Amino acid sequence: MEKSGKGVALLSRPEINIVWLKRDLRSQDHEPLAAAEAAGIPYLILYLFEPTLLAHPQCSLRHNQFIFESLQDLKKTLGVQGRTLGICYADAVVVFSEILHKYRVKRLFSYRESGVQLSWDRDKEVAQLCLQNNIEWLEFQREGVLRGIQNRDGWDKAWFVKMHSPLINNSFDPDLTLDWKHKFQIPETLKQAWSAYPAAYQAPGETMGWKYLKSFCEERGRNYMRQISKPLGSRYSCGRVSPYLAWGCLSVKQVYQYVKNHPNAANNKRAFNGFLTRVKWRSHFIQKFEVECEYETLCINRGYEHMDWQRNEAFIKAWKSGQTGYPMVDANMRCLHATGWINFRMRAMLVSFFCHHLGQDWRDGVYHLAQLFLDYEPGIHYPQFQMQAGTTGVNTVRMYNPVKQGLDHDPDGEFIKQWVPELREVPTTHIHQPWTLTPMEQQFMNFELGVDYPLPLVDLESSGKAARQRIYGHRKHPQVQKEKQRILKTHTRRIK
Ligand SMILES: Cc1cc2nc3c(=O)[nH]c(=O)nc-3n(C[C@H](O)[C@H](O)[C@H](O)COP(=O)(O)OP(=O)(O)OC[C@H]3O[C@@H](n4cnc5c(N)ncnc54)[C@H](O)[C@@H]3O)c2cc1C
């Protein structure tokens, strides 16, 4: 049989595989890398900064900085093993199409991504390109998250089986390395911005991820449960592995097995078990988003789409910049701007204050926090944000009173004074409610409320009451009730 000119040209191209890194920036316990190695033909390892995805409002400079620096760390690790890592600045289809001009690509290996709609759409385009070019795309399960499931039957068991399965000990054969000179260089201005990593953020990369995990087990984790909600204490005593998990510098299985099997586990049962429970929650939330990524833009319980939301630009601006007049809210927002991390309770309080006390639509705040969290993970972020906003219709709505949270978790106002320096001279007795200072007291402190620090945006008692009426009142809406059944069936375990 005669081959066409095009066919001959295609067959004369070298046959290769590709490993496409996404949120898996590590060299160990990496299934796609192991599969490419086992395939025995040369393969490219690629990370793509995709302009179309980077333009999505979820993205921020700090994410790109973390990724860029984690890639430098990975490059070093792979370099020691004689491997190269290609970093491109172009959309996936553009890069893969270019590779096809030079190589015959047999297989594409990657992890599955439980991302926003835009990344699903991109994946569909890549799948189409693979189909047209006879490329087999092998996507591996990430985080114990399953694709295509209709309900949670058997999910917990499958998660534990996955977590207890052996870790992959990746090795790299230098003979399989490929050095592809490409034209998709990161523009110089971006490169400069991405490599100027602020010291106030957690240091990026696989190597640092292990340092945090080890120090948690060896020392920091001892008081985990006692400190978990304290804005100051939690910075030391929490795991602080979230950015490394979010960008895949550590795998969930590595973290799970390391903590579970650590010699200190027996003496720190409550702390380590509390930590491991949350590691499972992580996958639980990502699983929800994997099944319904519409949570990014639509209420989990679609019945809440009928609720009236207001938009007050001044409120939104004040919340975003930490100028609400509520010290605990403002300190947390400013700390987040500066460091990229606050604990779970403080995140929940920020959302609760925004959606309940300020009465704003969760959609007007959700990308702001996504951009600020160094550990932004869509699968956790949107479901958690909506849980705190009260739009699931299945969870108890918790309204966090920022004054109470301050009194309970920062009684001396130490955290507040660190992040809201305008209040440094305010005595502990008034630090959580500076509006209770009399004009005379303010004068003694050389401080004027409404000038040096804002007056509170709302009255907590009346705003809380109005929010309860709005949210609980709407719970009775027939569509909320109908949706509740659908949500329970899809996202929770069946009670036998
Ligand atoms: C509105 C809101 C948005 C959030 N967005 C994110 C996000 O984008 N990315 C993110 O990683 N976490 C998010 N969280 C969950 C939680 O606040 C962080 O995971 C945690 O603060 C990370 O710090 P840590 O690593 O010290 O956690 P630890 O307390 O040490 O917990 C260990 C790990 O368990 C997981 N985890 C902990 N708490 C939760 C939780 N409540 N739900 C799901 N997984 C959890 C994380 O992966 C964490 O790294 C969000 C919470 C809220 C209320």
Side-chain angles (χ1 to χ4, degrees):
M1 197 169 67
E2 242 180 66
K3 289 184 179 118
S4 70
K6 195 180 164 202
V8 172
L10 186 70
L11 287 177
S12 66
R13 289 174 210 162
E15 190 176 59
I16 65 158
N17 287 328
I18 299 174
V19 174
W20 178 15
L21 302 180
K22 292 175 161 191
R23 282 177 174 260
D24 47 306
L25 309 181
R26 63 178 179 277
S27 63
Q28 291 300 312
D29 195 38
H30 199 290
E31 278 190 84
L33 283 171
E37 201 65 32
I41 61 170
Y43 66 97
L44 289 172
I45 309 174
L46 294 179
Y47 183 85
L48 316 179
F49 283 101
E50 297 174 81
T52 303
L53 267 92
L54 294 182
H56 188 283
Q58 68 185 341
C59 296
S60 65
L61 172 63
R62 63 185 63 187
H63 300 157
N64 292 332
Q65 289 174 324
F66 192 91
I67 297 168
F68 184 81
E69 288 299 320
S70 296
L71 287 169
Q72 305 313 312
D73 184 47
L74 184 56
K75 225 176 181 176
K76 235 187 258 165
T77 311
L78 292 174
V80 173
Q81 312 261 2
R83 296 295 323 212
T84 54
L85 165 63
I87 304 174
C88 302
Y89 181 80
D91 288 350
V93 167
V94 175
V95 175
F96 295 145
S97 302
E98 179 70 17
I99 294 172
L100 286 168
H101 286 131
K102 188 162 177 198
Y103 297 107
R104 197 148 44 95
V105 180
K106 200 172 170 203
R107 287 189 183 135
L108 172 64
F109 298 100
S110 75
Y111 276 106
R112 280 183 202 143
E113 187 171 348
S114 306
V116 295
Q117 187 64 51
L118 192 63
S119 71
W120 281 92
D121 294 344
R122 181 272 322 270
D123 280 354
K124 275 189 220 150
E125 283 179 38
V126 171
Q128 183 66 19
L129 184 82
C130 288
L131 197 69
Q132 285 160 356
N133 291 280
N134 216 10
I135 303 166
E136 189 183 3
W137 185 5
L138 288 161
E139 287 184 280
F140 293 85
Q141 188 202 105
R142 177 178 167 250
E143 317 249 1
V145 172
L146 307 176
R147 183 148 286 182
I149 59 170
Q150 306 295 320
N151 56 48
R152 287 299 182 94
D153 292 353
W155 187 88
D156 290 73
K157 195 172 164 212
W159 189 84
F160 281 114
V161 169
K162 180 82 184 166
M163 290 306 125
H164 285 268
S165 64
L167 293 172
I168 296 168
N169 193 359
N170 289 92
S171 61
F172 300 88
D173 178 352
D175 288 345
L176 300 183
T177 202
L178 253 189
D179 207 5
W180 177 52
K181 299 266 177 292
H182 64 80
K183 58 182 182 187
F184 305 112
Q185 301 304 324
I186 302 170
E188 207 45 48
T189 46
L190 285 183
K191 211 174 189 176
Q192 272 176 22
W194 293 353
S195 53
Y197 194 83
Y201 303 160
Q202 278 180 261
E206 187 177 16
T207 315
M208 282 312 294
W210 278 105
K211 278 194 181 164
Y212 271 91
L213 186 61
K214 284 180 181 165
S215 66
F216 174 76
C217 291
E218 281 161 16
E219 183 66 33
R220 293 187 298 107
R222 247 184 287 161
N223 292 322
Y224 175 65
M225 291 311 282
R226 264 192 297 279
Q227 297 292 332
I228 193 165
S229 296
K230 312 284 173 216
L232 277 176
S234 60
R235 304 190 80 78
Y236 178 77
S237 295
C238 272
R240 306 297 309 269
V241 288
S242 52
Y244 309 103
L245 286 171
W247 306 107
C249 306
L250 298 174
S251 76
V252 171
K253 205 206 288 181
Q254 284 175 322
V255 170
Y256 179 87
Q257 293 194 5
Y258 187 82
V259 175
K260 189 142 186 88
N261 301 326
H262 197 276
N264 287 345
N267 294 334
N268 295 304
K269 255 192 191 151
R270 188 162 168 261
F272 285 21
N273 285 342
F275 175 92
L276 291 172
T277 302
R278 284 163 179 79
V279 169
K280 183 159 176 267
W281 288 354
R282 171 186 178 82
S283 301
H284 163 75
F285 278 100
I286 297 177
Q287 182 69 61
K288 288 187 194 211
F289 199 63
E290 159 72 28
V291 173
E292 273 187 81
C293 76
E294 293 82 359
Y295 290 0
E296 179 200 352
T297 51
L298 292 177
C299 293
I300 290 179
N301 186 312
R302 307 291 192 271
Y304 280 95
E305 292 294 330
H306 300 288
M307 197 164 87
D308 281 336
W309 300 96
Q310 56 157 303
R311 174 174 284 152
N312 181 322
E313 296 293 351
F315 280 9
I316 296 172
K317 193 170 163 218
W319 178 77
K320 284 185 177 177
S321 54
Q323 296 286 348
T324 66
Y326 280 96
M328 200 58 172
V329 171
D330 296 340
N332 274 286
M333 188 60 90
R334 295 184 198 184
C335 172
L336 193 52
H337 273 278
T339 69
W341 189 88
I342 52 172
N343 71 39
F344 172 81
R345 183 178 284 263
M346 297 301 119
R347 295 182 195 208
M349 181 192 70
L350 286 186
V351 176
S352 171
F353 185 77
F354 183 76
C355 299
H356 302 314
H357 292 291
L358 299 185
Q360 300 302 298
D361 187 332
W362 61 272
R363 281 162 283 226
D364 285 326
V366 77
Y367 292 132
H368 179 71
L369 291 193
Q371 290 175 6
L372 292 183
F373 291 154
L374 195 59
D375 60 22
Y376 167 62
E377 166 66 61
I380 305 176
H381 188 65
Y382 299 101
Q384 270 292 358
F385 205 109
Q386 289 213 45
M387 223 165 107
Q388 308 309 329
T391 50
T392 68
V394 291
N395 305 98
T396 312
V397 182
R398 294 207 58 187
M399 260 171 231
Y400 292 81
N401 177 325
V403 174
K404 182 176 183 307
Q405 292 305 315
L407 290 167
D408 288 352
H409 300 295
D410 185 33
D412 299 331
E414 228 184 309
F415 177 74
I416 290 176
K417 289 186 180 186
Q418 185 179 344
W419 293 105
V420 189
E422 308 93 288
L423 300 177
R424 248 179 216 156
E425 300 306 318
V426 173
T428 310
T429 42
H430 293 77
I431 191 76
H432 300 289
Q433 305 178 76
W435 55 90
T436 56
L437 287 167
T438 63
M440 179 92 84
E441 285 167 327
Q442 292 181 36
Q443 217 171 20
F444 285 147
M445 287 166 213
N446 203 13
F447 166 83
E448 194 182 341
L449 206 66
V451 175
D452 297 311
Y453 182 69
L455 284 157
L457 281 186
V458 288
D459 170 62
L460 277 188
E461 207 174 304
S462 52
S463 62
K465 197 170 160 203
R468 270 186 287 277
Q469 277 171 357
R470 196 170 62 241
I471 287 276
Y472 286 117
H474 197 78
R475 271 201 162 191
K476 298 185 192 102
H477 193 287
Q479 202 186 339
V480 170
Q481 290 304 315
K482 197 169 153 215
E483 276 281 291
K484 188 175 163 180
Q485 298 315 315
R486 179 189 67 80
I487 294 163
L488 290 174
K489 214 168 126 200
T490 316
H491 297 298
T492 57
R493 253 181 264 131
R494 245 188 291 187
I495 311 226
K496 301 214 168 100

